[in-house]
Amino acid sequence: MIECQVDHIMSCLPRLSASGPIEVRPGVMAAWSRQLDAAMERMVWGGGGCRSWYKTAEGRVTNNWPGPTSLYRRLTTKPPEAAYRTIDPS
């Protein structure tokens, strides 16, 4: 998975060079978090009162990925341009 993350970051470098710092749009991040939370609830450590070191004291599962690595690779291959915005570094 780290290779996928590095590849994703490397594919962002041309945009960084052209436009400066970027960040994920807040609405996109919130939607992604909701999707992950919903997927985590379907996992063994998510729902049904299971106790796990993946859960915070508030009950949120913090495991980094609920699916197969092949899907993670597909989703991180090319950054979705609309998901990012240029930020003012000042």
Side-chain angles (χ1 to χ4, degrees), residues 3-4 9 14-15 21 26 28 36 49 64 76-77 80 88:
E3 291 91 352
C4 297
I9 292 166
R15 181 170 178 177
V28 173
L36 286 180
N64 61 347
T76 59
T77 296
D88 181 6

Side-chain angles (χ1 to χ4, degrees), residues 10-26:
M10 296 298 289
S11 66
C12 289
L13 292 180
R15 181 170 178 177
L16 288 166
S17 294
S19 66
I22 61 173
E23 67 181 2
V24 177
R25 293 178 185 278

Side-chain angles (χ1 to χ4, degrees), residues 12-69:
C12 289
L13 292 180
R15 181 170 178 177
L16 288 166
S17 294
S19 66
I22 61 173
E23 67 181 2
V24 177
R25 293 178 185 278
V28 173
M29 187 66 221
W32 179 250
S33 292
R34 285 191 301 273
Q35 287 178 330
L36 286 180
D37 287 345
M40 293 296 180
E41 280 299 312
R42 294 188 304 268
M43 306 304 280
V44 68
W45 55 78
C50 178
R51 294 182 60 177
S52 170
W53 65 276
Y54 284 122
K55 283 188 172 183
T56 65
E58 296 77 29
R60 184 167 189 267
V61 178
T62 59
N63 179 25
N64 61 347
W65 180 247
T69 305

